[in-house]
């Protein structure tokens, strides 16, 4: 299995995002290794030795995606036996020529805290936790969006991701068997139809998830899952509630699709 390193003097999130996006286009399995906060020459040399060791042991050059502010650290990694990709420097050169402005590199700038956006995100996370799974319905006036769907369809992780990454206040409400049998939206959601966004899921996947939580129960049976999914999708269509099948998407993709479809705005950094 080929090894891929994601290295940075910061969190390495940027290296991971670009590296994973690039490698996802190739039908090859990788051993992914992320190494953040490589901030000294000593640490960079340690990582170089690690890259060289992997190359010598495996007989294949590791792929190395990295971002550094300090060119001395970049040179150390570039001198390794890895196949190195300094995509941030490449992109900044193109932008520099277009803008006719010299870049001013600053360590940790891409993921540093900006007080206003940080406060938005913390408030949004606290809101998502307080309004998870229909636990609190009295603060829906404050919600930017209310995710609805059957139990275990991905509402909670999506709510938290929207809060943490976008600063969006997302409540979520589980559609119970009683709700679905009535064929109507719960009364607590009636006045918030414009804020609703539905999540659905393939019954087979839903049953597998529920089996892990409550094995061999009616709740986890494929029959029950098929009934609930069919009924909740009918309810979404009846009320013209936009919805998304979450089965084949990551929480990042689900969140991005919700943002795209609803027009909600990220609280700016």
């Amino acid at each position: 299995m080929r090894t891929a390193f994601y290295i940075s003097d910061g969190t390495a999130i940027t290296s991971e995002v670009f590296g994973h996006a690039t490698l996802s286009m190739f039908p090859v399995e990788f051993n992914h290794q992320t190494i953040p906060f490589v901030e000294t020459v000593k640490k960079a040399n340690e990582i170089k030795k690690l890259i060289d060791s992997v190359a010598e042991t495996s007989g294949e050059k590791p792929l190395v995606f990295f971002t550094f502010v300090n060119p001395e650290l970049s040179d150390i990694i570039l001198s390794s036996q890895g196949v190195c990709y300094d995509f941030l420097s490449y992109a900044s050169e193109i932008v520099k020529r277009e803008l006719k402005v010299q870049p001013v590199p600053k360590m940790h700038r891409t993921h540093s805290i900006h007080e206003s956006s940080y406060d938005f995100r913390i408030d949004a996370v606290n809101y998502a936790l307080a309004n998870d799974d229909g636990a609190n319905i009295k603060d829906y006036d404050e919600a930017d969006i209310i995710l609805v769907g059957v139990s275990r369809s991905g509402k909670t992780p999506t709510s938290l991701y929207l809060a943490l990454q976008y600063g969006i206040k997302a409540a979520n409400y589980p559609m119970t068997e009683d709700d679905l049998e009535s064929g109507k939206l719960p009364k607590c959601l009636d006045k918030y139809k414009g804020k609703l966004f539905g999540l659905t899921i393939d019954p087979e996947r839903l049953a597998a998830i529920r089996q892990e939580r409550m094995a061999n129960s009616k709740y986890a049976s494929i029959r029950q899952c098929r009934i609930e999914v069919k009924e909740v999708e009918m309810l979404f269509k009846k009320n013209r509630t936009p919805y998304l099948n979450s089965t084949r998407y990551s929480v990042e993709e689900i969140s991005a699709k919700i943002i795209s479809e609803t027009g909600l705005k990220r609280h700016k950094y």
Side-chain angles (χ1 to χ4, degrees):
M1 184 184 296
R2 200 76 175 260
T3 298
F5 286 96
Y6 310 97
I7 307 168
S8 176
D9 52 14
T11 62
I13 291 173
T14 303
S15 299
E16 279 189 322
V17 169
F18 279 92
H20 279 283
T22 302
L23 297 183
S24 69
M25 295 187 287
F26 300 91
V28 177
E29 285 193 31
F30 291 93
N31 171 28
H32 302 280
Q33 294 197 36
T34 300
I35 307 174
F37 301 113
V38 180
E39 300 174 298
T40 65
V41 168
K42 179 183 177 182
K43 183 67 173 177
N45 278 312
E46 290 175 0
I47 302 310
K48 176 190 172 182
K49 289 180 182 178
L50 174 60
I51 294 168
D52 291 346
S53 174
V54 170
E56 291 164 6
T57 302
S58 67
E60 294 183 310
K61 293 183 177 182
L63 305 181
V64 182
F65 300 88
F66 70 90
T67 58
F68 286 111
V69 169
N70 186 342
E72 186 178 7
L73 303 183
S74 296
D75 289 342
I76 291 171
I77 300 302
L78 285 167
S79 69
S80 72
Q81 295 181 43
V83 181
C84 299
Y85 303 93
D86 183 8
F87 46 83
L88 197 58
S89 293
Y90 172 75
S92 65
E93 279 297 316
I94 296 172
V95 174
K96 180 181 75 173
R97 288 196 296 270
E98 176 62 28
L99 297 180
K100 298 179 176 58
V101 174
Q102 288 292 327
V104 184
K106 182 179 178 182
M107 194 174 293
H108 305 164
R109 174 175 286 173
T110 55
H111 298 286
S112 59
I113 289 177
H114 295 251
E115 285 188 11
S116 60
S117 69
Y118 179 78
D119 290 344
F120 270 126
R121 284 183 285 163
I122 294 303
D123 285 347
V125 169
N126 287 334
Y127 180 87
L129 291 171
N131 291 273
D132 181 43
D133 212 27
N136 178 26
I137 60 175
K138 62 182 178 63
D139 294 330
Y140 282 179
D141 283 339
E142 296 178 34
D144 296 312
I145 191 169
I146 303 170
L147 302 182
V148 290
V150 299
S151 173
R152 315 306 289 181
S153 57
K155 301 183 301 301
T156 294
T158 303
S159 297
L160 288 170
Y161 191 87
L162 286 169
L164 187 59
Q165 290 296 324
Y166 296 93
I168 287 171
K169 289 186 175 181
N172 75 80
Y173 186 92
M175 302 300 292
T176 66
E177 194 172 358
D178 288 342
D179 293 328
L180 296 173
E181 284 179 357
S182 74
K184 298 178 182 178
L185 284 174
K187 288 184 179 180
C188 64
L189 299 180
D190 261 342
K191 63 182 288 190
Y192 302 107
K193 286 183 179 181
K195 293 184 178 184
L196 301 184
F197 193 97
L199 289 182
T200 185
I201 186 171
D202 289 354
E204 292 76 15
R205 177 59 180 153
L206 180 61
I209 294 170
R210 289 182 174 184
Q211 281 291 340
E212 294 178 5
R213 185 178 179 88
M214 295 180 64
N216 303 317
S217 63
K218 176 187 175 184
Y219 167 79
S221 70
I222 186 63
R223 181 178 183 276
Q224 181 66 23
C225 292
R226 284 172 177 159
I227 291 171
E228 289 186 27
V229 168
K230 180 180 179 181
E231 289 180 346
V232 81
E233 289 182 359
M234 288 173 60
L235 190 61
F236 292 155
K237 291 172 183 175
K238 179 180 178 181
N239 289 278
R240 297 184 179 178
T241 301
Y243 69 95
L244 171 70
N245 187 313
S246 66
T247 307
R248 293 172 182 82
Y249 297 115
S250 66
V251 67
E252 296 91 343
E253 291 170 316
I254 295 167
S255 300
K257 285 179 177 291
I258 289 172
I259 294 293
S260 175
E261 291 192 28
T262 61
L264 286 171
K265 302 296 183 185
R266 178 201 293 264
H267 287 292
K268 294 183 179 179
Y269 283 64

